[in-house]
């Protein structure tokens, strides 16, 4: 594992995972080097499986040992344990720049605790002196697969939490909201073993997110995506999408545009947004030393491609950065914030759960 101190990052972020799915997402960020991670649950067995230090786990005790997919149980427990949760945050998190609440949008614990945890996180950020704590608290929410959503209870829970974060995001009472579409995991990562299934998918989320939190810290003589640019996307409200795509040498403008489309399609982050509703967006191109030294006219192709992508997104300006990295070839990273809710998402879940 890399240590948090060994990597320069724009934001010092705390991740609070609730429930089985949320805990696994938070665990992936811990593996990525983020140490201000806290996992909450009503079921002790789910906490035990997480590979994070025991003092980063908190069991909200109840006689039932779990929420039984009833969000009202975990909602009440989270409010009941509010003071203990805030004290644990004070000990483990201390100072931070942002908090991201991680939940699974189908189970009882993640669904029910999401609202109270957002309130707790805002109060915590206000206590640190932030004037607009709402824009310092976001949510990563994983959606059930189509198979899981056929359960009326799971479907109802998913609709509840998506409606909550969608409303808060559009009102800029939280920012950003990142939806992870578990239905896409098998498409993006075919042939995974049962043991690796969730680790691989959640690690891909953490890797994509972390790229935007680390690359702006690099020096670039070409084009810089600076921390202020990143903040404009993170605090745009609404939903945020992100992705990445590899390119071979000898790329043209159309190759970059194709890679942009592929980065959205191949990501396990929800991809059914109307991209022209984005209010802030960015593309980062990371190149190996060989590419930078040998590719003729590369900067012109990049600029032309970003102008064309801008026509698709209809954003006033696409923030951009070009960086020299140790990775082979060329990698395109894309991010867009301020998006409206995916138009067919709730309908899909509702249709499945109603049979």
């Amino acid at each position: 594992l890399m240590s948090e101190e060994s990597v320069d990052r724009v934001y010092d972020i705390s991740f609070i995972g609730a429930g089985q799915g949320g805990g696994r997402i938070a665990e992936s960020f811990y593996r990525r080097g983020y140490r201000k991670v806290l996992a909450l649950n009503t079921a002790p067995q789910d906490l035990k499986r997480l590979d994070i230090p025991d003092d980063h786990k908190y069991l909200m005790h109840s006689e039932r040992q779990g929420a039984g997919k009833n969000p009202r149980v975990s909602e009440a427990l989270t409010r009941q344990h509010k003071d203990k949760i805030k004290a644990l945050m004070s000990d483990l998190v201390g100072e931070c720049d942002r908090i991201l609440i991680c939940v699974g949008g189908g189970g009882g614990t993640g669904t029910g605790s999401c609202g109270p945890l957002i309130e707790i996180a805002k109060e915590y950020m206000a206590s640190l002196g932030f004037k607009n704590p709402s824009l310092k608290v976001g949510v990563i929410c994983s959606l059930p697969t189509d198979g899981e959503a056929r359960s009326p209870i799971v479907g109802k829970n998913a609709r509840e939490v998506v409606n909550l974060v969608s409303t808060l995001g559009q009102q800029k009472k939280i920012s950003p909201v990142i939806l992870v579409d578990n239905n896409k995991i098998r498409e993006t990562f075919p042939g995974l073993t049962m043991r690796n299934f969730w680790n691989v998918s959640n690690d891909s989320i953490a890797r994509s997110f972390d790229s935007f939190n680390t690359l702006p810290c690099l020096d670039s003589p070409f084009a810089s995506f600076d921390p202020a640019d990143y903040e404009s996307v993170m605090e745009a409200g609404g939903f945020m999408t992100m992705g990445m795509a590899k390119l071979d040498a000898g790329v043209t403008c159309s190759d970059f545009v194709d890679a942009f489309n592929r980065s959205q399609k191949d990501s396990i982050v929800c991809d059914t947004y109307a991209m022209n509703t984005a209010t802030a967006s960015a593309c980062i191109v990371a190149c190996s030393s060989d590419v930078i030294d040998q590719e003729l006219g590369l900067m012109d192709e990049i600029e032309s491609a970003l102008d064309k992508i801008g026509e698709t997104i209809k954003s006033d300006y696409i923030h951009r950065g070009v960086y020299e990295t140790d990775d082979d070839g060329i990698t395109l990273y894309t991010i867009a914030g301020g998006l409206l809710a995916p138009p067919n998402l709730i309908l899909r879940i509702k249709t499945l759960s109603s049979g």
Side-chain angles (χ1 to χ4, degrees):
L1 286 175
M2 70 183 79
S3 69
E4 190 173 74
E5 292 75 20
S6 67
V7 179
D8 289 331
R9 292 188 168 99
V10 178
Y11 294 125
D12 181 11
I13 302 176
S14 171
F15 296 88
I16 301 178
Q20 184 184 59
R24 286 189 299 221
I25 294 171
E27 177 191 34
S28 289
F29 281 96
Y30 188 87
R31 281 198 295 270
R32 199 75 195 165
Y34 292 85
R35 292 294 174 259
K36 296 179 180 181
V37 167
L38 174 61
L40 313 174
N41 213 312
T42 56
Q45 64 273 21
D46 288 339
L47 285 176
K48 187 176 181 180
R49 295 188 191 103
L50 296 176
D51 189 16
I52 61 175
D54 287 341
D55 61 351
H56 290 241
K57 306 173 184 179
Y58 183 71
L59 177 64
M60 297 186 289
H61 286 282
S62 69
E63 294 179 1
R64 303 175 55 162
Q65 289 202 350
K69 297 203 181 302
N70 183 349
R72 302 291 75 79
V73 172
S74 60
E75 180 180 11
L77 280 170
T78 307
R79 297 191 189 283
Q80 179 184 327
H81 288 258
K82 174 180 176 179
D83 290 341
K84 291 183 179 178
I85 293 170
K86 288 179 77 171
L88 192 57
M89 290 171 64
S90 182
D91 290 340
L92 288 178
V93 176
E95 298 282 336
C96 68
D97 300 316
R98 297 182 182 278
I99 296 175
L100 285 178
I101 310 296
C102 308
V103 299
T109 300
T111 300
S113 64
C114 186
L117 284 176
I118 289 171
E119 295 171 12
I120 291 170
K122 285 185 186 181
E123 290 177 12
Y124 188 83
M125 297 308 283
S127 74
L128 295 181
F130 289 100
K131 293 181 180 179
N132 193 348
S134 294
L135 295 180
K136 307 300 179 183
V137 175
V139 173
I140 301 176
C141 175
S142 64
L143 303 173
T145 63
D146 282 356
E148 293 168 329
R150 286 189 173 90
S151 159
I153 297 174
V154 171
K156 180 176 180 293
N157 289 345
R159 295 197 304 273
E160 177 181 322
V161 73
V162 171
N163 281 328
L164 170 68
V165 297
S166 177
T167 299
L168 294 176
Q170 300 302 332
Q171 295 173 350
K172 286 196 172 184
K173 292 183 177 178
I174 55 174
S175 186
V177 177
I178 301 170
L179 291 184
V180 179
D181 190 351
N182 284 344
N183 216 41
K184 295 179 63 182
I185 296 174
R186 288 182 179 85
E187 300 172 21
T188 307
F189 303 106
L192 291 177
T193 65
M194 290 176 65
R195 189 180 304 279
N196 289 334
F197 189 79
W198 294 112
N199 282 350
V200 170
S201 60
N202 289 333
D203 284 350
S204 77
I205 303 164
R207 183 176 66 252
S208 292
F209 184 92
D210 189 47
S211 297
F212 280 95
N213 203 25
T214 54
L215 286 171
C217 294
L218 299 178
D219 180 50
S220 173
F222 312 109
S224 293
F225 174 66
D226 63 41
D229 299 335
Y230 184 38
E231 183 174 84
S232 72
V233 182
M234 286 286 286
E235 298 189 357
F239 290 88
M240 188 172 87
T241 184
M242 56 191 177
M244 59 182 288
K246 297 288 290 184
L247 296 98
D248 296 323
V251 291
T252 64
C253 169
S254 61
D255 292 327
F256 277 110
V257 175
D258 289 344
F260 169 79
N261 295 327
R262 184 159 38 92
S263 74
Q264 300 301 312
K265 179 178 178 294
D266 292 347
S267 168
I268 65 170
V269 174
C270 185
D271 67 347
T272 58
Y273 298 103
M275 292 301 290
N276 60 1
T277 65
T279 60
S281 56
C283 289
I284 291 179
V285 182
C287 306
S288 68
S289 299
D290 288 346
V291 169
I292 287 176
D293 291 337
Q294 298 172 16
E295 288 284 309
L296 300 176
L298 179 60
M299 201 67 195
D300 291 337
E301 299 294 343
I302 291 173
E303 289 293 337
S304 297
L306 291 178
D307 288 342
K308 285 189 176 297
I309 293 168
E311 294 172 8
T312 301
I313 296 180
K314 291 185 168 58
S315 191
D316 289 340
Y317 178 76
I318 297 181
H319 298 297
R320 56 202 67 189
V322 179
Y323 294 92
E324 182 177 358
T325 66
D326 294 331
D327 296 336
D328 293 334
I330 302 170
T331 306
L332 176 69
Y333 298 91
T334 61
I335 190 170
L339 291 156
L340 296 180
N344 299 320
L345 177 65
I346 297 293
L347 179 61
R348 185 186 97 192
I349 296 172
K350 185 175 182 179
T351 301
L352 287 166
S353 59
S354 63

